[in-house]
Amino acid sequence: MEVVSEVASLVAWRGDQRGRRIGFVPTMGFLHAGHASLMDRLRPEVDLLVVSSYVNPLQFGQNEDLSRYPRDADGDERLCRAHRVDLLFRPDSLYPPGFSTAVTVHGSLTDRLEGEHRPGHFEGVATVVARLLALVGPTVAAFGEKDWQQLAVVRRVVVDLGLPVEILGCPLIRDADGLALSSRNKYLSPDDRRRALSLVTALRAVAAAFQQGERDADRLGGIGRAQLDVDRLDYLEVAAAADLAALDQVDRPARVLVAAVVGSTRLIDNLAIPWT
Ligand code: PAF
């Protein structure tokens, strides 16, 4: 496996790989089994597998956890080797001097849910993903469904900018107790972790109520919210799966999404509404 920390070295490497099928997993490092599942999903389909690890300052708000975002360079390298990654791109800086471009996705895809609670977040994500896709030039890139809204934003960017890459959404991975894997879980105390499980309990309660015939999106949301044991709830809502539009009645494929703070850690999770 090559480990590359300069943009110029990545571009030189990429120049030698013309005609080969390249798979790409963009990450912010502190890799876990969720990231590994993306690598394993792509590995059999591609000639070369590239992983990036870059904690992108553009997608963090002023009061967010950029400075304390967890890092583990050695662990990341070990995990990438174990999952047969060909190139790990780990730049110290990704943007050129004078960088002045932003990719903005407008509308309900970005101004609700995560977008409402983290202003500027999706612009930072769209900008870094567009730059990474331009540099890596993958045939296919994998993103986790844990960040369901991010995945929808990335798909929009790729269609709107006509980027020649297939975007593959991959299932969210949970620990045995049901907690969605996240680099931020490391901050949960044992008691926080127990309370954090109320997120998945809430999502499952909403899916079960839908299965029992409830179609009113507000009432479904209320059923989920009643299960939560958190310190701050940002949202728990049933939204259209494809474009995250708000729903009155659940009359199309939908997703229940939650964001909440437990202790000092903000967690997100989501689950498919069992549409038949
Ligand atoms: O999901 C993430 O880890 C990040 O948002 C991404 C896609 C790597 C962009 O920084």
Side-chain angles (χ1 to χ4, degrees), residues 1 29-32 39 71-83 88 90:
M1 182 177 81
F30 207 73
L31 302 177
H32 51 64
M39 299 172 201
R71 291 162 209 252
D72 178 8
D74 293 344
D76 289 354
E77 212 171 308
R78 272 196 304 278
L79 185 138
C80 286
R81 285 186 199 282
H83 292 269
L88 171 59
R90 200 163 52 187

Short mmCIF file of all heavy atoms in Angstrom, two decimals, residues 1 29-32 39 71-83 88 90:
data_model
loop_
_atom_site.label_atom_id
_atom_site.label_comp_id
_atom_site.label_asym_id
_atom_site.label_seq_id
_atom_site.Cartn_x
_atom_site.Cartn_y
_atom_site.Cartn_z
N MET A 1 0.84 -1.20 0.00
CA MET A 1 0.00 0.00 0.00
C MET A 1 0.88 1.25 0.00
O MET A 1 1.83 1.34 0.77
CB MET A 1 -0.89 0.01 1.24
CG MET A 1 -1.83 1.19 1.30
SD MET A 1 -2.94 1.15 2.75
CE MET A 1 -1.89 1.80 4.03
N GLY A 29 -10.87 9.70 8.58
CA GLY A 29 -9.95 8.94 9.43
C GLY A 29 -10.65 8.38 10.66
O GLY A 29 -11.87 8.32 10.73
N PHE A 30 -9.84 7.91 11.62
CA PHE A 30 -10.31 7.19 12.81
C PHE A 30 -11.23 6.06 12.34
O PHE A 30 -12.39 5.95 12.73
CB PHE A 30 -11.01 8.12 13.81
CG PHE A 30 -10.91 7.62 15.22
CD1 PHE A 30 -9.70 7.68 15.90
CD2 PHE A 30 -11.98 7.05 15.86
CE1 PHE A 30 -9.58 7.20 17.20
CE2 PHE A 30 -11.87 6.55 17.15
CZ PHE A 30 -10.66 6.63 17.82
N LEU A 31 -10.65 5.23 11.49
CA LEU A 31 -11.45 4.25 10.73
C LEU A 31 -11.96 3.12 11.63
O LEU A 31 -11.29 2.69 12.56
CB LEU A 31 -10.58 3.68 9.61
CG LEU A 31 -10.01 4.73 8.65
CD1 LEU A 31 -9.11 4.06 7.60
CD2 LEU A 31 -11.11 5.52 7.96
N HIS A 32 -13.15 2.65 11.31
CA HIS A 32 -13.78 1.56 12.05
C HIS A 32 -14.44 0.60 11.07
O HIS A 32 -14.32 0.76 9.84
CB HIS A 32 -14.77 2.10 13.08
CG HIS A 32 -15.77 3.07 12.51
ND1 HIS A 32 -16.70 2.71 11.56
CD2 HIS A 32 -15.97 4.40 12.73
CE1 HIS A 32 -17.44 3.75 11.25
NE2 HIS A 32 -17.02 4.80 11.93
N MET A 39 -14.85 -0.37 2.06
CA MET A 39 -13.67 -0.87 1.33
C MET A 39 -13.96 -2.28 0.79
O MET A 39 -13.68 -2.58 -0.37
CB MET A 39 -12.44 -0.91 2.25
CG MET A 39 -12.06 0.45 2.79
SD MET A 39 -10.76 0.30 4.06
CE MET A 39 -10.97 1.86 4.92
N ARG A 71 -8.22 11.14 16.09
CA ARG A 71 -7.28 10.77 15.03
C ARG A 71 -6.47 9.55 15.47
O ARG A 71 -6.16 9.41 16.66
CB ARG A 71 -6.31 11.94 14.73
CG ARG A 71 -7.05 13.10 14.06
CD ARG A 71 -6.25 14.40 14.16
NE ARG A 71 -7.17 15.54 14.16
CZ ARG A 71 -7.34 16.39 13.16
NH1 ARG A 71 -6.64 16.26 12.05
NH2 ARG A 71 -8.20 17.38 13.25
N ASP A 72 -6.12 8.69 14.53
CA ASP A 72 -5.31 7.51 14.83
C ASP A 72 -4.64 7.06 13.52
O ASP A 72 -5.11 6.14 12.86
CB ASP A 72 -6.19 6.39 15.41
CG ASP A 72 -5.39 5.13 15.69
OD1 ASP A 72 -4.14 5.16 15.59
OD2 ASP A 72 -6.01 4.08 15.99
N ALA A 73 -3.55 7.75 13.19
CA ALA A 73 -2.90 7.52 11.89
C ALA A 73 -2.43 6.07 11.77
O ALA A 73 -2.61 5.44 10.71
CB ALA A 73 -1.73 8.48 11.73
N ASP A 74 -1.84 5.51 12.83
CA ASP A 74 -1.31 4.14 12.74
C ASP A 74 -2.45 3.13 12.57
O ASP A 74 -2.39 2.21 11.75
CB ASP A 74 -0.50 3.78 13.99
CG ASP A 74 0.77 4.60 14.07
OD1 ASP A 74 1.15 5.18 13.04
OD2 ASP A 74 1.36 4.67 15.16
N GLY A 75 -3.50 3.31 13.38
CA GLY A 75 -4.66 2.41 13.30
C GLY A 75 -5.29 2.48 11.91
O GLY A 75 -5.68 1.45 11.35
N ASP A 76 -5.40 3.68 11.36
CA ASP A 76 -6.00 3.83 10.02
C ASP A 76 -5.18 3.08 8.99
O ASP A 76 -5.72 2.40 8.11
CB ASP A 76 -6.06 5.32 9.63
CG ASP A 76 -7.10 6.08 10.44
OD1 ASP A 76 -7.84 5.44 11.20
OD2 ASP A 76 -7.16 7.32 10.30
N GLU A 77 -3.84 3.21 9.11
CA GLU A 77 -2.97 2.56 8.13
C GLU A 77 -3.12 1.04 8.22
O GLU A 77 -3.22 0.35 7.21
CB GLU A 77 -1.52 2.97 8.42
CG GLU A 77 -0.69 3.03 7.16
CD GLU A 77 0.67 3.64 7.43
OE1 GLU A 77 0.76 4.74 8.00
OE2 GLU A 77 1.66 2.96 7.06
N ARG A 78 -3.17 0.53 9.45
CA ARG A 78 -3.32 -0.92 9.66
C ARG A 78 -4.63 -1.42 9.05
O ARG A 78 -4.67 -2.43 8.34
CB ARG A 78 -3.31 -1.26 11.16
CG ARG A 78 -1.92 -1.50 11.73
CD ARG A 78 -1.99 -2.22 13.08
NE ARG A 78 -2.80 -1.51 14.05
CZ ARG A 78 -2.36 -0.48 14.79
NH1 ARG A 78 -1.12 -0.05 14.68
NH2 ARG A 78 -3.17 0.12 15.65
N LEU A 79 -5.71 -0.67 9.31
CA LEU A 79 -7.02 -1.11 8.80
C LEU A 79 -7.01 -1.10 7.27
O LEU A 79 -7.51 -2.02 6.62
CB LEU A 79 -8.14 -0.23 9.36
CG LEU A 79 -9.54 -0.68 8.98
CD1 LEU A 79 -10.49 -0.58 10.17
CD2 LEU A 79 -10.11 0.10 7.81
N CYS A 80 -6.41 -0.07 6.69
CA CYS A 80 -6.38 0.01 5.21
C CYS A 80 -5.58 -1.16 4.63
O CYS A 80 -6.00 -1.77 3.64
CB CYS A 80 -5.79 1.34 4.76
SG CYS A 80 -6.93 2.70 4.99
N ARG A 81 -4.45 -1.46 5.25
CA ARG A 81 -3.64 -2.61 4.75
C ARG A 81 -4.45 -3.90 4.85
O ARG A 81 -4.47 -4.71 3.93
CB ARG A 81 -2.35 -2.76 5.56
CG ARG A 81 -1.30 -1.73 5.21
CD ARG A 81 0.03 -1.99 5.92
NE ARG A 81 0.84 -0.79 5.93
CZ ARG A 81 1.53 -0.33 4.90
NH1 ARG A 81 1.55 -1.00 3.78
NH2 ARG A 81 2.21 0.80 4.99
N ALA A 82 -5.14 -4.08 5.98
CA ALA A 82 -5.90 -5.31 6.20
C ALA A 82 -7.03 -5.45 5.17
O ALA A 82 -7.48 -6.56 4.91
CB ALA A 82 -6.46 -5.34 7.62
N HIS A 83 -7.49 -4.33 4.64
CA HIS A 83 -8.60 -4.39 3.69
C HIS A 83 -8.13 -4.12 2.25
O HIS A 83 -8.90 -3.71 1.40
CB HIS A 83 -9.74 -3.45 4.13
CG HIS A 83 -10.39 -3.95 5.38
ND1 HIS A 83 -11.47 -4.80 5.37
CD2 HIS A 83 -10.04 -3.81 6.68
CE1 HIS A 83 -11.79 -5.13 6.62
NE2 HIS A 83 -10.93 -4.54 7.43
N LEU A 88 -3.45 5.07 0.29
CA LEU A 88 -4.07 5.87 1.36
C LEU A 88 -3.59 7.30 1.16
O LEU A 88 -2.39 7.59 1.22
CB LEU A 88 -3.65 5.33 2.73
CG LEU A 88 -4.03 6.16 3.96
CD1 LEU A 88 -5.54 6.36 4.07
CD2 LEU A 88 -3.50 5.51 5.23
N ARG A 90 -3.49 10.86 2.59
CA ARG A 90 -3.64 11.45 3.93
C ARG A 90 -3.00 12.83 3.93
O ARG A 90 -1.92 13.02 4.52
CB ARG A 90 -2.94 10.52 4.90
CG ARG A 90 -3.36 10.66 6.31
CD ARG A 90 -2.97 9.49 7.15
NE ARG A 90 -1.56 9.14 7.07
CZ ARG A 90 -1.04 8.04 7.62
NH1 ARG A 90 -1.82 7.19 8.27
NH2 ARG A 90 0.23 7.78 7.52
#
